[in-house]
Amino acid sequence: MKFHSKPVAEHTEVPTDDKWEEIVAYWNQREDTTKQSGTKHKNTCYVLSVSYTRDVNVQQAQLSEITSLVKAQGGHIVGEEVYYLARHDSQTLIGKGTAQNIAARAHELGANMLVVDAELSPSQMRNLEDASGIAICDREGIILNVFLRHAKTRSAKIQIEIAQLQYLRPRIRGIGMDMDQQAGGISGSRGAGETASELLARKLDGRLAELKKAQKKIERVGSKHRKQRHNSKRITLLGYTNAGKTSLMNALVGEQLSSRNMPFETLDTTSRSLSRHGGDVIISDTVGFIRRLPKSLLPSFESTLAEICDASLLVVVIDLSDYEWCEHLRIVHQMIDKLHAQKIPRFYVFNKTDRVQNMPSFEMLNTLTYDHKCVTLSSKDDEAVTQLKDKLLQAVRSEEQTLEISVPHTASHVMSLIYGKTRILHSEATEQHMQFSIQAPVHIVAKIKQELRK
């Protein structure tokens, strides 16, 4: 198969050998090819929010979200607009003529990149770049860049690089380099040899294989550490991105973890001890959720997902001052359902009440939270946070249950649950069974009983 790409003047040499990192760097830090004088930012962006609804409030909320993501990944926004998409175009999503008109407005404002708030296929991205004459970045690319900037631990960095290379792999021939050059070989019966794009794809595949091996090793270590903490009661904070989870955790544990007003400021899961009175209680702050999260980025949430599934209590934090807080709550519920974590006890915290003018009624909140316990507060209110801390400690301790149980030696799955998820108070082996006295959260006890019935 022959690739067709238009070379850019500054990149006449195709990286070969071990220089594939140059392409990754180029993809993340594409500079203005026109070298406009006076430009202070590498990427001056024109943001296009593609909306499938005519609701003005929803359109503005979606535009605000994508602009905050662009700023979080270091882009400088020179213009923005909302485009209502009534009919989907398979080649360019928005249509060739519309793309040219929007690109003209972007060029007038000095933009060198058009950010489209939609997931574009590699062919759609190339067609849009050909039609508009401007670099294109879609929603997935923006979120990837934000993740890359905020990853701190080795595990997170590996997961993000894997997602980045998987995103880049099918887009090789659209990165602004001449990919038709031959990397070697002779003419005749042996063929023309390997093209530069094929060589680069092979090198990216090799790097992906290395990263996935490293990721498996880290996952094994992380799983081992979680098993070592099974004697602790665990509280997990979760919610939509930028809901104030980290600020609330700072107030609860008395620390100063980074809590800037920025999407995905917290990417790595952070755990702290909430109380050592009456047994350890560990509280974890996790990465925030977001609507239309690209599937390729789900592995980047592995540590968060593990914390959620192993929690004794889920604390759902919602920014009550956000216009779309009901939609954010729905997205969190969707994620909980996808993780099969519906049976884990929940506690709802409706945050940032200091910014709310018209408070919703408690009847409304109880309905939306399916009658789980909930409070409204501001994480800046020390007295309210202290009361919340007491309620969380009481809630997580009340969810523990003691059980005397006899398990056949052949029930290996139940044995795994007991050793991995419960606190074993006493155990005794007989010829056909193991006798256990265990203490565990109510939902774990229910799961053990269900497995035994099977």
Side-chain angles (χ1 to χ4, degrees), residues 12-128:
T12 55
E13 294 183 0
V14 179
T16 55
D17 300 323
D18 296 323
K19 297 183 180 180
W20 63 267
E21 294 92 342
E22 295 179 11
I23 291 189
V24 177
Y26 172 73
W27 183 259
N28 291 326
Q29 301 176 356
R30 284 179 288 179
E31 296 188 18
D32 185 2
T33 56
T34 59
K35 299 295 181 182
Q36 297 176 355
S37 59
T39 300
K40 297 181 180 180
H41 299 267
K42 289 184 176 180
N43 286 328
T44 51
C45 305
Y46 189 89
V47 178
L48 176 67
S49 177
V50 179
S51 179
Y52 297 90
T53 177
R54 290 192 182 276
D55 188 320
V56 176
N57 291 322
V58 174
Q59 289 180 351
Q60 288 301 315
Q62 292 174 349
L63 178 62
S64 176
E65 182 175 276
I66 187 62
T67 53
S68 65
L69 287 169
V70 173
K71 292 175 182 177
Q73 63 99 40
H76 174 59
I77 300 174
V78 295
E80 58 191 47
E81 67 175 275
V82 176
Y83 177 73
Y84 171 68
L85 186 62
R87 189 166 60 93
H88 180 274
D89 183 87
S90 60
Q91 292 186 338
T92 60
L93 183 69
I94 59 177
K96 184 176 179 180
T98 301
Q100 291 173 341
N101 293 335
I102 293 173
R105 293 193 287 273
H107 279 300
E108 288 179 2
L109 295 173
N112 61 23
M113 179 176 289
L114 175 63
V115 176
V116 182
D117 187 20
E119 288 187 52
L120 301 174
S121 67
S123 61
Q124 285 177 331
M125 186 174 290
R126 288 192 295 270
N127 291 337
L128 269 177

Side-chain angles (χ1 to χ4, degrees), residues 71-339:
K71 292 175 182 177
Q73 63 99 40
H76 174 59
I77 300 174
V78 295
E80 58 191 47
E81 67 175 275
V82 176
Y83 177 73
Y84 171 68
L85 186 62
R87 189 166 60 93
H88 180 274
D89 183 87
S90 60
Q91 292 186 338
T92 60
L93 183 69
I94 59 177
K96 184 176 179 180
T98 301
Q100 291 173 341
N101 293 335
I102 293 173
R105 293 193 287 273
H107 279 300
E108 288 179 2
L109 295 173
N112 61 23
M113 179 176 289
L114 175 63
V115 176
V116 182
D117 187 20
E119 288 187 52
L120 301 174
S121 67
S123 61
Q124 285 177 331
M125 186 174 290
R126 288 192 295 270
N127 291 337
L128 269 177
E129 288 189 342
D130 290 340
S132 62
I134 189 172
I136 304 293
C137 190
D138 67 351
R139 181 181 181 84
E140 184 174 355
I142 290 294
I143 296 177
L144 262 174
N145 287 339
V146 175
F147 276 30
L148 192 65
R149 289 171 66 93
H150 292 174
K152 300 294 190 299
T153 65
R154 181 168 178 261
S155 174
K157 289 178 179 179
I158 288 176
Q159 289 171 343
I160 300 308
E161 188 176 353
I162 289 173
Q164 188 183 36
L165 295 183
Q166 289 174 336
Y167 176 79
L168 176 59
R169 177 66 167 78
R171 293 169 173 81
I172 288 175
R173 56 180 178 155
I175 60 176
M177 297 186 180
D178 185 357
M179 288 296 159
D180 293 333
Q181 298 181 27
Q182 303 297 320
I186 59 175
S187 60
S189 60
R190 293 190 179 185
E194 188 178 41
T195 63
S197 56
E198 292 167 341
L199 175 62
L200 177 58
R202 181 162 55 80
K203 291 185 178 296
L204 291 182
D205 290 340
R207 176 60 175 168
L208 275 170
E210 292 176 6
L211 291 171
K212 288 179 179 179
K213 285 182 181 179
Q215 184 184 26
K216 287 182 179 179
K217 290 182 180 179
I218 293 175
E219 286 175 355
R220 286 196 294 268
V221 173
S223 176
K224 182 179 180 181
H225 287 170
R226 284 192 295 273
K227 287 180 180 179
Q228 291 172 349
R229 295 190 338 230
H230 76 269
N231 286 332
S232 301
K233 302 177 181 69
R234 277 162 283 175
I235 298 174
T236 298
L237 300 176
L238 69 154
Y240 204 80
T241 185
N242 221 24
K245 299 184 300 300
T246 306
S247 296
L248 181 61
M249 183 167 174
N250 285 338
L252 287 169
V253 302
E255 292 197 19
Q256 291 298 320
L257 303 172
S258 178
S259 58
R260 290 182 297 170
N261 185 22
M262 184 178 291
F264 299 117
E265 171 63 15
T266 300
L267 186 59
D268 302 293
T269 299
T270 305
S271 298
R272 294 290 185 272
S273 176
L274 186 62
S275 173
R276 293 187 177 276
H277 178 67
D280 285 346
V281 177
I282 294 174
I283 186 167
S284 299
D285 181 23
T286 60
V287 62
F289 303 134
I290 195 170
R291 82 184 93 207
R292 293 184 288 146
L293 180 72
K295 292 181 180 179
S296 62
L297 298 183
L298 283 177
S300 304
F301 282 72
E302 284 297 331
S303 58
T304 284
L305 306 186
E307 288 291 340
I308 291 174
C309 294
D310 291 340
S312 305
L313 179 68
L314 300 180
V315 178
V316 180
V317 183
I318 299 295
D319 178 3
L320 204 56
S321 67
D322 193 292
Y323 171 79
E324 286 197 303
W325 68 268
C326 286
E327 174 67 9
H328 295 174
L329 184 60
R330 185 187 68 82
I331 291 170
V332 173
H333 286 160
Q334 279 185 344
M335 185 61 72
I336 291 175
D337 291 343
K338 287 180 180 179
L339 298 174

Side-chain angles (χ1 to χ4, degrees), residues 389-401:
K389 183 175 180 178
D390 293 337
K391 290 178 180 178
L392 293 180
L393 290 172
Q394 181 180 0
V396 74
R397 286 168 182 159
S398 66
E399 294 297 338
E400 291 283 329
Q401 184 175 343

Side-chain angles (χ1 to χ4, degrees), residues 364-415:
M364 177 184 179
L365 296 180
N366 284 330
T367 301
L368 292 173
T369 59
Y370 308 113
D371 293 325
H372 288 282
K373 294 179 181 179
C374 65
V375 297
T376 58
L377 55 74
S378 168
S379 58
K380 298 178 182 178
D381 186 341
D382 294 338
E383 183 178 352
V385 171
T386 300
Q387 292 176 359
L388 173 64
K389 183 175 180 178
D390 293 337
K391 290 178 180 178
L392 293 180
L393 290 172
Q394 181 180 0
V396 74
R397 286 168 182 159
S398 66
E399 294 297 338
E400 291 283 329
Q401 184 175 343
T402 302
L403 178 68
E404 303 287 338
I405 192 171
S406 177
V407 182
H409 291 299
T410 56
S412 58
H413 182 58
V414 178
M415 292 284 193

